[in-house]
Each structure stands twice: as C-alpha cells, then as structure tokens.
Amino acid sequence: MMLLAAITAHAKKDWRGKVVDSQGEPVAYANVAVLSKSDSTVVCGAVTGEDGTFNIVTSEKDGIMMVAMLGYQTQYIVPVDGAVITLLDDTAMLQSAVAVAVIPKTKLTGEGIQTSVRGSVLENVGNAKDVLAKTPGIVKTSGGLEVIGKGTPLVYINGHKVTDPTELDRLQSNEIQSVEVITNPGAQYDATVRSVVRIRTVRRQGDGFGFSLNAADSQSLRWAAGNDPSGALNVNYRTGGVDFFGGVNYAGSSFRQISDINKVSFGKTAAGDDWRFQNLSDLTGASHSKDLYGNAGVNWQLADNHFLGGKIEWGRTLAIDSHTVINDNAIENGTLVDKLTTTSEDSLGDDKPFNLGANVYYNGVVGQKMGVDINLDYYGTDASSKSVSTETSTMTHDATIHSTALIAGRMYAGKAVLSYPIWTGQLQFGTEETFSRRNNEYYITGVDIPASSSKVIENNYAGFASYAFMLPKVGMFNAGVRYEYVHYTYEDALAPAENIARDYGNWFPSLSYSNAFGPVQLMLNYSTKTNRPTYDFLSSAIRYNSRYIWQSGNAKLQPDMMRNASLAAVYKWVTLMVNYTRTDNAIMTWSSPYGDEGVVLVQPRNIDTPLRSMTAAVNFTPTFGHWSLNYTLGVQPQWLTINAPDSREPSGFRVTRFNGKPQYIAQFNNTLSAKGNWQFEFGGTFLSRGYMRNIYLTSNYFDLTAAIQKAFLPDGALVLRLEAADILGLAVQNADTDFGNHTITQTNLMDTQRVKLSLRYNFNTSQSKYRGTGAGSDTKNRM
C-alpha cells in the first residue's frame, strides 16, 4: 500500500502559471482547466488569484489546458509549467469601435461590469471619484455616488476596503487600471452590502521612495464664506519585499441651506372636534468644519504567495461651527398662535471627535492550493457636541435650551476566508465575527425632555460558503449562502423600561449566471440582503431641534429584508442594467404629531407593507475621433402603499400611495482630448420629479458641469484642473410627503454652485501593495 501511494504521488504533475491580459496585467478569477485528450472531459481545474497565478496538481500527463474568462477569447494550449498565458479581448465586442485606444471598454466578468480606465479618456479625468462618476453602472446624485438601483457601494482598492473618506480623493485617475461594479455581492460580503466597487490600480515596478501631493480649493458662487480648502501628502517607500506607506490629509468643508417648510398636523380634540395645526417656517443654515486624517502601514512579502501587513487610520475633527435660524408662524385651527424665531449654535464639546482604526492581515497560499485570507480589525470613535438654542416669541414665551451629546463606540471584528480549487471552479468558505458597543449620553435643560444614557450591544456571528465554476460552452455559475446570527441589546440607565434584548438569525442566498452569446455578454443575479439601522436610529433619546420639531431614534427598529433580481448585458459599447427589489420591513423616516401643542416628532419606523422598486438603465460609450461620450438613460418606478394613521378617518387610518410617478435619470459626459495634454469636459446629471420611497420629489434636478485641465512634465506628473458644478443653479430637489396625520411641503436652495481649482503632483509614485480586506465593514459604517 505504501509503495502504491508513492507511485501515485510520483505520477502527479504540478502545473503552475500566470494569466495576463494584452497589457500584461494579471487576470483574476479566470478559469483554468485540464481537459482529457481522448474525450475533452474536464479532469481538474483552478481559478486564478488576484495576481493571476494558478497551480494545478493532476495525474493527466497529456491533457489540454483551457483558460476561459468572460470578455476574453478562450485559449486552448499544451500545458507548460511556469507558462504566462495571455488572454485577448473578445474582438466581437469591439469590431465596430472607432479609436479603440481611447474607449473605456466595458465587459462582464462573471461577478460584475468591468470598465477599463488605463489607455482611455477616463485616465485623465481627475481623481477616483471623477472616474467613478463616469463609470457605467454608477450615477452621481445629490447624495453622492450610487450604483444604479443599489445605493451607495462598498469600495475596495486592490483588495483593501476603503475606510478613509478621503482615499478616493487622493487616488488619481492615471493610477487606475480598471473599475468593476458588482451589483450582486457574494456570500463573503456582509449581508448588508448591496453593491461593491473594486478598483484595480496600475502595477508599478521597482523600489525606492515616492510621494504624491494634492492641493485644491472649492469656492461657492452663492455664498462668499463657502470656501473649502483641502490638501494631502502621501509617501511610499519600497525595498525588497517590504512596503512602507503613510499619508496625511486636511479637508475644510462648508455648507449652506435655505428652505421654506409648510408642516400641517391633523387630529381630534378631547371633545371629538377636528384639530388642525399648521407651521409655516423658513430656515437658513450654514456650517463649517475642519478635519484632519492620517494613515500609516506596512506590507511585507514573506515569500512567494505569503503576505503579512498592518495599517492604522485616524481622524480628528478640528472644528465645527453651525449656525441655524428658523422663523416659525404657528397657526392653530386658522388662528395665529405663535411667531417664533429660533437661533441655534452647534459646536464641538469639551473633547474633539476622534476615530481610530486598525487592521492586520495575512494573505497567502498554504500547501499547494489552499488560499487563506485572514483579517483582524478594530475601530473606535469618540465624539462630543453641544448646542444652544435661543427662542424669541412675540406671542408666547422666550426660552434658552442647552443640550450636550456624548458618543463612544468600539468595534472588534475578525474574518477568515479559505479557498480551494475543485473540478473546474473554486470553493470559498469562511467566517466573520463582529462585536460592537455604542454608548450615547444626551442631556438637555430649558425644556421638559428627559435625559438619556443608553448602551447598544450587538454581536454578529456569520458563516458563508460559495462555489464558482465554468462549464465550457454553457457559462459561468456562482452559488453561495451566508448565515448571520445577531444578538442585540439596548439598555437605558435612565429609562430601564425601554430596555430591549433580542436575537435573530437569517440565511442569505445568492446565485449568478453569466455567458457570452455571440457578441452579447449576459449576466443574471439573485440575492437576499438586509439593511440594519444605524446606531443613531437605535437611540430612543429625544433630540430638540426647535420648539415644534423634535427628533428621536427607535430602539425597536428591526432590520429590513431585500430580495433582488437583476440582469446585465453588454453589446459593443452599449450596457443594459435592470434590477428589481422587494423590501419587507423597510426602514423609513416618519413624522407625526407629538402631544397637542403642535410639536412634531421625527422618528424612523418599519413599514408593514412591502416596498417594490425597479431600475432599468442603458449606458452608451461611443467615441468619435478625440471626442468620447458616456451617456446613461434610466427610469426608476416603485410600488408602495402605506396604511398611515389619520384620526380624521373612521378607521383611524388612511391609505397613502407612492406609486405611478417614476423618477427618470439622464447622465451625460463628453470628453475632448486635445494636443499638448489638454482635456475638456462637459456633462450633467438630470433627475426628474417622482416618488422615492415615502417622498415625492416635486422638482427636476439638473447639475450641469464642466472642466478643463492641463498635464505637464513627463508622464503627466503635474496636473492643473479647473472645474465648475451646477453651472445653471438648477441642482435643487424640493419634496412633499404624506404621513397621514401630518404632511410636509419643502423647497430648498443648497450650496451646490461651485468652482474648484486643483493641483496634483506625483513623484515616483507606486501604489501600496496592501492586501488587507478588512472585517466588520457594515458595523463600522453604521458607527
């Protein structure tokens, strides 16, 4: 028996190699299979890693090796140990393209939609945020960058999760190789993650010292005091297999809002008569803040396929100055009962807000095939704030309200992912644990609102597994499942009757299929996701905004559940995306009368009827000579009916419908490249009026933008850029909403009309080799 085992082991062959694209960049997650020469059946296989490498151990001596990846031509070769296999783009995708060298090519990868940046017009559009705003599948809205139909994505750069909010500002477009938009994140991601963006940077070789320096200044055209300076310095030093990196970033931010608000509450008096309270308000608010961020870390390549590293990220808010004036006219049953002016000053408390994050990781291959990825994370945040509101009334009484808020949060998380090639695919399985604590203290004087001293404890235990494989001529399949068990407690030392403890566990399956049908690439996805309330939403403390507006969280909130089905198709330079989502227990902000003195309490709650929504969008990226276009057209209908409380109805409820008026989306970007490293851009985003959850947007939003930039020095190391936002001043969103016994109509004028001048300089820069992917991402964001 021992002799037989030795002969068998000796007969096995170890095939190692690397898969790259036509530019020499590694192709991750390509399928490599050994086929029998006699009948072409699959003997064994593997999936390439992030660096494009693979390792197959087989007893097949005379087989044929097949290398396949969606969007590339399948290669059949005679196996050679140590071979570098080049995959060529599927020419059927590009056969009618003009000026291919500058087209940002888009293709399906089996997980998402990948857009090339290097060698395209996207290479010189600014920073990573500018690239994402022009990437198919992503739209820029008034709230920031969103994946169409999936909200704000989780972003990774070279496999590490972005936690520093300035990192996308610091990463320059000419350092980016490609952007992949994943609309159906697999089981290895937290169940709250609905979309992921993976950025891969250009791999630069060589050791030595490098740095990048960025400086910018943004000025409001509506408000002289709205000036936002920012700057960043990042350094990197490589020697041998060790990579040291660090950086510091300063950001000034300002914001102004002018709004007119009409709030109407309905109810019944003790005698059963109808009661109506109307509050006509105008609001002017302005704020300034100054923040400082830093990071430092090291990545050490211990040996081939073995990496170890760690990093620390910190941030401190240096100053906050917020000033708000609200003028209220309170009308009860048609009679003016109060004319009130509230002036509020918000600032930092005794301790300036500070957050600290740390990550250590190991990434490598154990034995010949087992991939291992381990991450340990810590995140802590401490913040204090204070507010003084001075109320002056011409008809009732004056008041001065002081409030103080203290917040302390801690999170500890660990994640381990193992991967192993089986047959023609790869099995991936692992576990993730997150332990978080959040303390909130709120004290107020001058008004009859109770103080609060609450603690939220949440422990999340998760296990997951997925298997991805490719069948020749059939397509690529990926199936996964994740189970999460959560223990949650809420305790208020000043109101023990509000204490809550509960446990819940859920399964989250995901399925995907992708294949190429001639020149058309197709991908189908299904997944179940959840959305957990933020920690602010879980605090039951009542916060005082003004005499007639109070705000609170809701410790009884339950996570909502989402079931998603989506389709994506790519044909040449046309990309189609369709997504349908059903959300049960949807979390929505709700406003209702609180008592009989005209006070309104704003509070999140779960909706007991399902929210159904759909998004359909098509993206076009043709190029005509030096002119490149990137146009997106889409529509977002929804179906939502709510039984809203309304004491005017005999049943005590009234059906409110948020259906029938979908929101239309149009985004266009034009880029013109000229001689002398000049680049001109002209674009815009249009969002029509329509329903969005339980709000009706009553105005059309249009943000017209333009930019001009010039690159200097070899390789464009120095870039000067001037850009303008909201040129026409039409980036405005007004809103109406109906809460049954309370309605709100609001018009807004935001500080969106701006010009920005930026300067970027890179010296011998090379992106960090950091491979930490992080753990506990959802909990960190909720903090």
Side-chain angles (χ1 to χ4, degrees):
M1 291 294 290
M2 291 180 62
L3 178 62
L4 179 60
I7 294 175
T8 302
H10 180 74
K12 289 185 177 293
K13 181 63 180 177
D14 189 0
W15 302 107
R16 299 174 184 266
K18 185 175 184 178
V19 179
V20 300
D21 61 16
S22 57
Q23 294 180 328
E25 292 294 323
V27 177
Y29 311 114
N31 288 271
V32 184
V34 175
L35 311 180
S36 171
K37 255 190 177 181
S38 59
D39 56 7
S40 297
T41 58
V42 176
V43 178
C44 61
V47 176
T48 59
E50 285 281 353
D51 58 356
T53 60
F54 65 89
N55 182 27
I56 296 178
V57 179
T58 177
S59 58
E60 184 71 29
K61 298 181 179 179
D62 301 318
I64 298 295
M65 183 173 290
M66 179 193 72
V67 183
M69 181 69 179
L70 198 62
Y72 296 92
Q73 296 177 4
T74 300
Q75 300 286 336
Y76 295 90
I77 63 172
V78 176
V80 177
D81 190 31
V84 177
I85 304 166
T86 301
L87 292 183
L88 302 177
D89 287 318
D90 189 345
T91 55
M93 297 162 49
L94 306 172
Q95 59 187 4
S96 67
V98 180
V100 173
V102 296
I103 294 177
K105 294 176 293 184
T106 300
K107 59 190 175 188
L108 298 181
T109 63
E111 284 190 293
I113 302 171
Q114 185 184 85
T115 299
S116 62
V117 177
R118 190 182 185 189
S120 77
V121 294
L122 295 180
E123 188 173 9
N124 296 303
V125 297
N127 58 33
K129 284 185 177 178
D130 298 316
V131 172
L132 296 182
K134 298 174 174 62
T135 298
I138 299 177
V139 63
K140 183 179 180 181
T141 70
S142 58
L145 297 171
E146 295 184 0
V147 173
I148 296 177
K150 292 298 184 77
T152 303
L154 192 64
V155 180
Y156 287 82
I157 299 177
N158 290 338
H160 88 268
K161 181 169 59 10
V162 173
T163 56
D164 184 343
T166 67
E167 191 165 358
L168 294 178
D169 295 310
R170 301 195 306 264
L171 178 62
Q172 303 307 305
S173 56
N174 63 354
E175 300 175 282
I176 299 176
Q177 176 72 29
S178 63
V179 174
E180 184 177 10
V181 179
I182 300 174
T183 57
N184 186 48
Q188 71 270 29
Y189 295 100
D190 190 284
T192 62
V193 178
R194 299 185 63 201
S195 60
V196 171
V197 169
R198 289 202 296 229
I199 299 174
R200 297 188 64 186
T201 62
V202 177
R203 294 178 181 266
R204 305 186 190 276
Q205 305 299 322
D207 293 340
F209 174 78
F211 72 89
S212 66
L213 179 66
N214 306 296
D217 190 68
S218 173
Q219 175 61 50
S220 170
L221 299 180
R222 289 180 175 149
W223 181 36
N227 183 261
D228 300 347
S230 62
L233 173 65
N234 293 278
V235 297
N236 185 277
Y237 179 73
R238 286 183 178 179
T239 175
V242 183
D243 172 31
F244 300 95
F245 60 91
V248 63
N249 181 84
Y250 168 82
S253 177
S254 62
F255 179 76
R256 190 176 71 154
Q257 174 182 350
I258 300 175
S259 300
D260 290 319
I261 311 169
N262 181 10
K263 303 180 290 293
V264 182
S265 297
F266 306 96
K268 292 284 188 180
T269 65
D273 299 326
D274 289 336
W275 172 79
R276 186 179 189 272
F277 194 97
Q278 183 178 19
N279 188 359
L280 299 173
S281 307
D282 63 78
L283 176 150
T284 301
S287 66
H288 291 84
S289 65
K290 299 176 182 178
D291 297 282
L292 190 66
Y293 304 94
N295 68 88
V298 61
N299 183 82
W300 183 16
Q301 185 171 355
L302 303 172
D304 288 343
N305 296 322
H306 292 279
F307 299 87
L308 183 68
K311 69 174 179 178
I312 295 176
E313 295 177 319
W314 57 268
R316 180 178 287 278
T317 299
L318 304 177
I320 290 180
D321 179 18
S322 178
H323 178 83
T324 306
V325 177
I326 304 175
N327 295 308
D328 291 309
N329 289 286
I331 303 170
E332 185 174 12
N333 293 328
T335 302
L336 180 66
V337 295
D338 197 6
K339 288 180 68 69
L340 178 70
T341 296
T342 303
T343 302
S344 299
E345 302 287 346
D346 300 314
S347 59
L348 298 179
D350 296 332
D351 298 319
K352 294 181 179 180
F354 182 78
N355 60 74
L356 176 68
N359 168 260
V360 294
Y361 78 92
Y362 167 78
N363 178 277
V365 177
V366 177
Q368 294 182 326
K369 295 184 177 182
M370 178 69 76
V372 179
D373 188 4
I374 298 175
N375 282 265
L376 299 175
D377 277 71
Y378 165 82
Y379 182 78
T381 179
D382 291 275
S384 65
S385 62
K386 56 185 179 182
S387 177
V388 179
S389 297
T390 303
E391 299 179 344
T392 304
S393 174
T394 62
M395 302 183 68
T396 57
H397 63 278
D398 299 341
T400 301
I401 293 91
H402 295 264
S403 64
T404 301
L406 305 173
I407 298 172
R410 300 293 184 268
M411 182 210 72
Y412 307 88
K415 185 176 182 179
V417 183
L418 305 179
S419 57
Y420 195 83
I422 296 178
W423 192 41
T424 64
Q426 181 149 301
L427 176 66
Q428 188 177 74
F429 55 97
T431 181
E432 182 174 11
E433 283 75 38
T434 305
F435 308 96
S436 63
R437 307 290 184 268
R438 165 94 168 205
N439 295 321
N440 292 272
E441 295 183 34
Y442 183 72
Y443 305 98
I444 187 168
T445 61
V447 66
D448 188 19
I449 291 179
S452 174
S453 178
S454 63
K455 178 171 65 175
V456 174
I457 300 175
E458 187 175 286
N459 298 329
N460 187 320
Y461 307 87
F464 55 87
S466 64
Y467 181 61
F469 64 98
M470 186 170 187
L471 294 178
K473 300 181 180 181
V474 178
M476 180 178 291
F477 299 84
N478 191 326
V481 65
R482 182 183 181 99
Y483 178 78
E484 292 189 359
Y485 171 79
V486 179
H487 173 71
Y488 166 83
T489 61
Y490 173 87
E491 300 174 356
D492 193 328
L494 303 181
E498 299 290 330
N499 293 355
I500 295 174
R502 60 173 178 251
D503 301 273
Y504 46 90
N506 299 97
W507 293 92
F508 301 96
S510 61
L511 299 168
S512 70
Y513 166 77
S514 56
N515 198 12
F517 299 91
V520 178
Q521 301 171 70
L522 182 69
M523 180 169 60
L524 301 173
N525 297 310
Y526 172 80
S527 64
T528 300
K529 297 292 182 179
T530 188
N531 175 43
R532 298 191 182 93
T534 65
Y535 287 96
D536 285 337
F537 272 18
L538 292 172
S539 173
S540 291
I542 296 178
R543 306 298 175 97
Y544 188 87
N545 290 349
S546 72
R547 183 174 297 181
Y548 297 106
I549 303 177
W550 297 0
Q551 189 171 347
S552 173
N554 182 359
K556 297 181 180 180
L557 278 179
Q558 296 280 350
D560 62 28
M561 296 293 293
M562 293 167 285
R563 294 169 178 82
N564 309 285
S566 62
L567 174 150
V570 175
Y571 174 71
K572 298 179 182 177
W573 40 260
V574 180
T575 303
L576 172 68
M577 295 155 285
V578 180
N579 179 78
Y580 173 81
T581 301
R582 173 187 168 122
T583 304
D584 293 302
N585 259 356
I587 299 173
M588 295 185 184
T589 300
W590 201 263
S591 183
S592 57
Y594 188 75
D596 57 1
E597 296 183 356
V599 175
V600 172
L601 181 65
V602 181
Q603 188 179 42
R605 56 169 283 190
N606 292 108
I607 302 301
D608 58 6
T609 53
L611 167 63
R612 300 178 178 90
S613 60
M614 188 180 77
T615 301
V618 60
N619 174 262
F620 307 91
T621 56
T623 294
F624 305 97
H626 295 286
W627 178 29
S628 176
L629 291 75
N630 188 328
Y631 289 10
T632 298
L633 300 173
V635 61
Q636 295 188 134
Q638 70 169 34
W639 299 268
L640 174 63
T641 301
I642 299 176
N643 295 317
D646 190 341
S647 59
R648 295 171 297 176
E649 299 294 327
S651 64
F653 291 90
R654 176 167 56 87
V655 176
T656 56
R657 292 181 172 85
F658 302 86
N659 312 318
K661 295 181 180 179
Q663 187 177 43
Y664 295 93
I665 303 170
Q667 183 166 283
F668 64 95
N669 295 292
N670 300 273
T671 304
L672 181 64
S673 302
K675 292 181 179 180
N677 292 325
W678 285 95
Q679 183 163 295
F680 304 89
E681 301 168 28
F682 182 73
T685 300
F686 171 80
L687 304 173
S688 76
R689 57 175 61 93
Y691 284 114
M692 180 178 291
R693 298 175 73 85
N694 61 332
I695 295 174
Y696 179 65
L697 301 176
T698 60
S699 61
N700 293 322
Y701 171 97
F702 183 50
D703 181 10
L704 186 67
T705 61
I708 180 173
Q709 73 175 36
K710 165 73 172 173
F712 304 88
L713 303 180
D715 298 325
L718 178 65
V719 177
L720 185 65
R721 181 179 175 87
L722 177 66
E723 53 192 291
D726 192 17
I727 295 173
L728 300 180
L730 299 176
V732 174
Q733 284 191 322
N734 303 324
D736 287 355
T737 191
D738 185 352
F739 300 106
N741 52 14
H742 182 71
T743 62
I744 299 177
T745 300
Q746 181 168 334
T747 62
N748 305 296
L749 181 63
M750 304 296 187
D751 182 31
T752 53
Q753 204 166 17
R754 286 180 167 264
V755 293
K756 180 180 179 181
L757 179 66
S758 60
L759 178 70
R760 307 189 303 272
Y761 177 68
N762 297 325
F763 172 76
N764 193 30
T765 55
S766 56
Q767 282 299 307
S768 168
K769 296 179 180 179
Y770 199 76
R771 291 169 173 254
T773 57
S777 58
D778 169 61
T779 301
K780 191 180 301 182
N781 292 334
R782 290 163 61 208
M783 282 190 173

